[in-house]
Amino acid sequence: MQEHHNKYWKSTEPDNLPDFIIGGAMKSGTTSLHAILHSHPDIAIAKNELGFFDIDRILQHSDFNFFNTKNQTWTIQSMPQQHKLLWSWYYSQFTSIKNKEFLIGEDSTTYLTSETAARRIALQDKPIKLIFILRHPTKRAVSNYLHYLKSGRAMYSLEDTLRYNPNSIIRRSLYKEQLESYYKHIPFDRIKIVLFEDLIAHTESCIKDVCDFLDIDFNKLDKEAFSIHSNKTKTPKYIHLQLLRNRLLRKTANYRYSGFLPIKPSFQKKIPLRYRLIDKLHKTINPLKNDIEFTPSKGTIELLDEFFKTEFHGFDTLVKKEVYSKWFKD
């Protein structure tokens, strides 16, 4: 199985691979770091999140596969079946930005949780560097819930989500076991850990540290770039109304990636007019706003903090960095 795995996932054109990858965690400031680094005159980063090294993993990308209800068949991102197409697609994401004087990057927030991605990145002849931004696991999980809420995937309140489907928002905060997988496959000195809290509170020193890791001149950065904070979380005006909308429209398939992926579906599922009208009316009544703060109950925060405190014992030793005491008070 491993031999079959290696046959297709090792690039035959290592010069066309990125020099570094911002690999997550989701909802931890990866978009902001992307924007800051992309402003550097010697760096260029692919515009979109690519998710290439785990593109075929349904647990990471359930919306990268498409089901045709008429003939009961799937369109999947299969490397064994279409390896030339998939690799050509990946290389093409860097074509417009490639320059021999540029350091080329990409960001894919699913990579941190994917040991498959770790194995596949480790296969490459090019020593790709990895940057992972980690946020207080409880705050990241709550932000993840809000992301699912506004994107139509949350069906329940935060508390009921933790009761019925905790894995959906908790697993991407389990950095310890995720990084153990990466350290197993990739040398320690090729992995940079950045704390979201440091990025926000000590932006300049944090970015300088990242520049040193990438071996680029920090002084070339426009200092105005440090004020960039992209992808700020917006919250629906009425949470319960958003949940009602999500449940009502849950059967409408999400095909937003159908035109972006290398292997595209041969069909397009049209969302019925009544659903589109309901969604349009909902957006008018219940807009997403920057000035609404979502505040979980004190009990919910305590529940999550206690869970993560146990999960993160020994984390500082693993990453050789002081983290635990910054996040938790024993």
Side-chain angles (χ1 to χ4, degrees):
M1 186 68 178
Q2 189 66 27
E3 183 179 347
H4 178 267
H5 169 86
N6 292 353
K7 180 179 179 180
Y8 299 106
W9 280 101
K10 184 172 181 177
S11 170
T12 58
E13 301 178 30
D15 289 343
N16 288 327
L17 294 174
D19 300 291
F20 70 93
I21 295 172
I22 305 172
M26 184 182 288
K27 309 310 297 178
S28 298
T30 56
T31 306
S32 295
L33 183 60
H34 173 131
I36 293 171
L37 291 179
H38 191 63
S39 70
H40 193 289
D42 299 333
I43 291 180
I45 306 177
K47 179 180 178 181
N48 299 297
E49 282 200 36
L50 305 181
F52 176 74
F53 287 106
D54 56 11
I55 198 170
D56 59 336
R57 311 308 292 173
I58 193 169
L59 291 178
Q60 298 291 346
H61 301 288
S62 60
D63 44 8
F64 280 14
N65 304 297
F66 310 98
F67 185 63
N68 189 330
T69 55
K70 286 187 177 181
N71 58 20
Q72 301 289 291
T73 59
W74 285 90
T75 299
I76 63 174
Q77 308 303 309
S78 173
M79 181 63 85
Q81 294 176 22
Q82 296 273 17
H83 57 278
K84 290 183 179 179
L85 175 62
L86 263 69
W87 277 113
S88 294
W89 174 86
Y90 187 56
Y91 299 147
S92 73
Q93 305 302 313
F94 310 108
T95 301
S96 64
I97 61 174
K98 192 172 182 181
N99 183 307
K100 64 180 181 180
E101 296 179 359
F102 283 176
L103 205 63
I104 303 298
E106 69 135 310
D107 60 87
S108 297
T109 56
T110 61
Y111 286 169
L112 178 57
T113 61
S114 175
E115 184 173 359
T116 297
R119 290 199 308 268
R120 291 170 177 174
I121 292 169
L123 281 174
Q124 311 312 317
D125 288 331
K126 190 170 191 176
I128 300 170
K129 292 182 178 181
L130 290 153
I131 302 170
F132 295 116
I133 313 179
L134 310 182
R135 184 180 185 180
H136 188 297
T138 295
K139 293 178 180 178
R140 196 223 61 84
V142 172
S143 183
N144 203 156
Y145 170 75
L146 286 175
H147 174 68
Y148 286 158
L149 178 70
K150 69 180 183 180
S151 62
R153 285 172 282 183
M155 301 293 141
Y156 308 103
S157 67
L158 173 60
E159 287 72 25
D160 281 348
T161 299
L162 290 171
R163 290 173 62 201
Y164 305 140
N165 189 19
N167 188 60
S168 65
I169 60 173
I170 284 179
R171 73 184 181 93
R172 293 189 182 278
S173 287
L174 299 176
Y175 316 135
K176 186 170 184 282
E177 62 185 50
Q178 294 158 7
L179 286 171
E180 284 172 342
S181 296
Y182 270 86
Y183 290 137
K184 183 168 65 176
H185 298 288
I186 294 173
F188 187 91
D189 61 2
R190 280 172 48 196
I191 298 175
K192 179 67 178 176
I193 303 301
V194 177
L195 297 189
F196 171 82
E197 294 78 9
D198 290 341
L199 182 63
I200 298 301
H202 310 289
T203 307
E204 186 167 339
S205 60
C206 184
I207 296 300
K208 185 179 186 307
D209 205 23
V210 172
C211 287
D212 290 344
F213 172 69
L214 295 176
D215 196 24
I216 58 170
D217 188 352
F218 167 77
N219 294 313
K220 286 187 177 182
L221 265 174
D222 183 347
K223 299 305 184 287
E224 290 184 5
F226 298 151
S227 63
I228 294 174
H229 182 44
S230 303
N231 203 22
K232 293 180 180 179
T233 299
K234 293 183 178 180
T235 305
K237 186 175 182 180
Y238 306 109
I239 301 294
H240 293 296
L241 188 58
Q242 181 72 37
L243 290 170
L244 178 62
R245 176 262 178 215
N246 293 354
R247 290 192 291 268
L248 185 62
L249 303 186
R250 69 188 304 174
K251 290 185 179 180
T252 59
N254 184 352
Y255 282 83
R256 60 178 174 162
Y257 296 112
S258 60
F260 172 67
L261 292 166
I263 303 177
K264 299 172 175 58
S266 57
F267 62 94
Q268 286 290 337
K269 187 179 178 92
K270 292 184 178 179
I271 299 175
L273 177 60
R274 66 182 182 277
Y275 289 136
R276 284 185 276 136
L277 290 175
I278 290 171
D279 191 43
K280 184 175 181 180
L281 177 62
H282 173 265
K283 289 177 179 177
T284 301
I285 298 172
N286 193 25
L288 297 172
K289 291 181 169 289
N290 281 320
D291 57 353
I292 297 176
E293 185 174 352
F294 178 80
T295 306
S297 69
K298 181 181 178 182
T300 298
I301 296 299
E302 290 175 349
L303 169 74
L304 289 170
D305 279 351
E306 286 304 311
F307 171 77
F308 287 124
K309 281 180 181 179
T310 300
E311 293 296 315
F312 277 80
H313 277 301
F315 187 68
D316 290 14
T317 301
L318 175 69
V319 299
K320 300 179 182 178
K321 186 182 183 78
E322 183 183 351
V323 178
Y324 190 91
S325 62
K326 292 184 178 181
W327 285 343
F328 305 112
K329 304 295 183 183
D330 284 328

